Amino acid sequence: MTLIMPAPEPDILSQRDALIERLRAILPASNLVVDETARRAYECDAFTMYRALPLVVALPETVAQVSAIMALAAEMNIKIVPRGAGTSLSGGSMPLEDGILLGMSKFNRVLEIDYENRCARVQPGVQNLAISKAVEERGFYYAPDPSSQIACSIGGNVAENAGGVHCLKYGLTTNNILGLEVVLMGGEIVRLGGKHLDSEAYDLLGLMTGSEGLLGVVTEVTVRILQKPAVARCLLLGFPSVDAGAHFVGAVIARGVIPGGMEMMDRATIHAVERFQPCGYPLDAEALVIVELDGTQAEVDLLVSVVDAIARAEGATTTKISTNEAERLQFWAGRKNAFPAVSCIQPDYLCMDGTIPRGRLPEVLAGMDAIAKREGLQVANVFHAGDGNLHPLILYDASKEGEMARAEKMGFDILRLCVSVGGVLTGEHGVGVEKRDLMGEMFTEIDLEQQMRVKCAFDPMNRLNPGKVFPTLHRCAEFGMMHVSGGAAPFPDLPRF
């Protein structure tokens, strides 16, 4: 299935030179990427199947510059695509040929650390892991930890509502931020939330988190920081089948145990990881589950014994328990490197992101295997087992004719399977362009129209990251909405209904 993006608007393309001149009045020359060769560096994000050359790349350093660029875009009716670190796996920051690519990488400072209120104010270009590094000397950390945490930015995490290994116990991005500063499409600057625990009135903070750059551009984030648990230990568990591993995951949660993290990978991934970065994973296992338990010493000791007993009852063939911090980190090292490790099997992969009810894991994993056999491709499974967030890696070779198209079709079928069992299209990677045309599998036309009305309230001319999330591009006027400037509606002589 070929992705179709909105056709470039000739009116915008014809204004490129004028736009660049006006941007030069806002930004220093070094912060404006105009040359075609230099713009190629921004033609895609981590969803590399599709590419587009941005009209121009703007790299602001101040909120005032972002505001001025947004106001200019609104005035000239130019599209804007926000971009963080470019690690999006759904094409959320894929540029448009008739749009400004607004790169936020220069917003890279930690502005304030407030240990008393257990929060930190950071700019959106700060790397996820850098937040934990900034507070670790006082025994604190930032909980959400996507696999790309050494590269991904906190602004991108907010846009996609990213999760990670420890989101089972500590929540997604939306559960770990307290406030945002956002620039809207007209250049207006708004603050949502703050250092306090809960926001007043409508939950606009929650609305903005996971909005994929369609509602505004984040220029500051207030994150919640947590004190590191006194003790954290890991169990490395091998099972004779994926089905047995999946049943174990359900049994742990059913027992009332909520691990800090619970990850699972299949045989293909285990072997790829051991070739890429040996971690002592059992090569005779068909499934591997890593369980991390944290808390006080007494609590962790008890939970380790409980989970160990459950694993043995569910037929675990390998049981290893970390005895020190180095060993715990070694257990996790393979999981953190699972994505690059599969390049040992095939040169290319497509990472999916469906989420399902935990109880349907065995059924869905069997279904994915059947889809892979039908398409003649291999799938390597690695996922957040505790909350049912699947990351099947569809392996293919883009140099072989037709394999990329088959991989894309297989990904669509896997996501349809997830929705059919009561799951959702995305757990943390976002919809972007990758899953855009599947939104009709999960939402009715009425559902999508209501969501589009929210977008129109923030961006009435649909200039902010258009062509993403919604499968059909609408004008806000279709929903009885229009842009009002200076208190006057356009074409005041026309009758209103």
Side-chain angles (χ1 to χ4, degrees):
M1 186 170 184
T2 303
L3 177 72
I4 299 175
M5 294 297 290
E9 298 179 18
D11 287 349
I12 296 178
L13 298 177
S14 67
Q15 297 183 77
R16 183 171 186 266
D17 291 343
L19 171 65
I20 290 171
E21 283 305 307
R22 296 192 63 179
L23 285 171
R24 283 178 174 146
I26 299 171
L27 298 172
S30 60
N31 291 29
L32 201 58
V33 182
V34 177
D35 177 73
E36 179 178 342
T37 302
R39 281 183 286 142
R40 288 287 173 198
Y42 298 89
E43 67 182 359
C44 70
D45 51 24
F47 182 61
T48 58
M49 279 188 164
Y50 296 95
R51 301 163 188 260
L53 191 66
L55 188 68
V56 63
V57 179
L59 303 172
E61 295 183 66
T62 68
V63 178
Q65 289 172 346
V66 175
S67 176
I69 292 168
M70 297 285 274
L72 174 62
E75 177 193 334
M76 297 182 69
N77 200 30
I78 306 288
K79 301 170 186 175
I80 284 190
V81 177
R83 175 187 169 108
T87 58
S88 170
L89 288 164
S90 63
S93 55
M94 190 181 86
L96 299 172
E97 293 176 10
D98 56 348
I100 301 168
L101 188 71
L102 189 67
M104 300 299 289
S105 57
K106 290 183 178 293
F107 278 74
N108 56 10
R109 293 186 298 125
V110 176
L111 301 173
E112 178 191 7
I113 299 173
D114 184 346
Y115 290 109
E116 186 175 337
N117 288 301
R118 299 202 172 194
C119 64
R121 288 193 306 114
V122 300
Q123 292 185 315
V126 172
Q127 293 170 341
N128 173 290
L129 187 59
I131 300 174
S132 291
K133 293 287 186 184
V135 298
E136 66 181 359
E137 66 177 4
R138 293 281 294 273
F140 285 80
Y141 74 113
Y142 176 66
D145 56 343
S147 294
S148 59
Q149 67 179 149
I150 62 171
C152 65
S153 66
I154 188 64
N157 291 175
V158 171
E160 305 292 0
N161 192 21
V165 166
H166 292 92
C167 68
L168 172 61
K169 183 173 183 179
Y170 295 102
L172 301 164
T173 301
T174 191
N175 307 111
N176 287 276
I177 62 171
L178 297 170
L180 295 174
E181 179 183 73
V182 182
V183 180
L184 303 180
M185 193 56 219
E188 303 92 343
I189 302 168
V190 298
R191 296 194 74 93
L192 308 173
K195 293 184 178 181
H196 45 283
L197 186 62
D198 203 1
S199 298
E200 66 289 342
Y202 290 120
D203 184 15
L204 297 179
L205 180 64
L207 179 65
M208 195 64 65
T209 307
S211 61
E212 303 197 33
L214 270 69
L215 305 183
V217 176
V218 174
T219 51
E220 185 185 303
V221 186
T222 302
V223 301
R224 186 195 310 270
I225 55 174
L226 304 177
Q227 200 151 23
K228 286 184 178 179
V231 178
R233 296 177 69 190
C234 268
L235 291 90
L236 189 70
L237 307 167
F239 290 89
S241 68
V242 171
D243 191 64
H247 279 291
F248 162 76
V249 169
V252 170
I253 301 298
R255 186 68 177 270
V257 177
I258 305 298
M262 185 155 56
E263 301 290 297
M264 184 172 171
M265 57 183 74
D266 64 8
R267 182 182 182 85
T269 310
I270 294 167
H271 282 251
V273 164
E274 280 297 297
R275 288 198 296 272
F276 185 81
Q277 179 176 334
C279 298
Y281 290 175
L283 296 178
D284 61 338
E286 291 296 323
L288 178 74
V289 181
I290 304 172
V291 183
E292 180 168 292
L293 301 160
D294 58 22
T296 63
Q297 185 70 61
E299 179 186 11
V300 171
D301 288 346
L302 174 62
L303 291 177
V304 165
S305 65
V306 170
V307 171
D308 183 42
I310 296 173
R312 295 179 189 280
E314 294 292 336
T317 53
T318 300
T319 302
K320 295 182 181 179
I321 302 172
S322 66
T323 56
N324 53 54
E325 182 66 5
E327 197 170 14
R328 183 186 74 85
L329 293 175
Q330 184 182 19
F331 285 1
W332 280 121
R335 167 60 186 90
K336 287 287 187 179
N337 287 284
F339 287 11
V342 297
S343 62
C344 300
I345 306 173
Q346 285 281 20
D348 303 289
Y349 69 84
L350 178 60
C351 178
M352 306 312 294
D353 178 44
T355 299
I356 61 169
R358 280 185 298 264
R360 307 298 288 271
L361 264 174
E363 173 189 348
V364 170
L365 292 174
M368 285 196 295
D369 188 52
I371 293 169
K373 288 177 180 176
R374 187 182 69 216
E375 294 297 334
L377 296 173
Q378 188 175 357
V379 60
N381 280 298
V382 52
F383 50 89
H384 309 309
D387 58 1
N389 185 195
L390 310 182
H391 291 318
L393 306 175
I394 302 168
L395 309 178
Y396 68 99
D397 186 344
S399 67
K400 294 181 179 178
E401 186 176 354
E403 279 209 5
M404 188 169 78
R406 280 161 49 211
E408 194 171 16
K409 178 181 180 297
M410 181 174 162
F412 274 40
D413 289 343
I414 287 174
L415 292 176
R416 289 190 181 101
L417 173 63
C418 291
V419 172
S420 72
V421 300
V424 296
L425 294 172
T426 177
E428 58 173 336
H429 293 174
V431 175
V433 294
E434 178 205 29
K435 308 176 189 74
R436 181 196 66 187
D437 297 333
L438 285 172
M439 288 286 276
E441 299 284 333
M442 184 172 168
F443 298 105
T444 67
E445 186 174 347
I446 294 174
D447 293 333
L448 291 171
E449 285 181 359
Q450 292 300 320
Q451 292 180 48
M452 190 66 193
R453 282 185 168 91
V454 174
K455 159 109 172 127
C456 290
F458 285 83
D459 178 23
M461 301 306 292
N462 198 23
R463 299 288 86 180
L464 195 52
N465 216 10
K468 316 288 176 65
V469 179
F470 297 104
T472 303
L473 203 60
H474 288 282
R475 297 285 184 185
C476 291
E478 296 177 44
F479 302 111
M481 305 176 72
M482 65 190 66
H483 184 59
V484 176
S485 179
F491 310 110
D493 55 313
L494 294 179
R496 304 295 179 197
F497 300 95

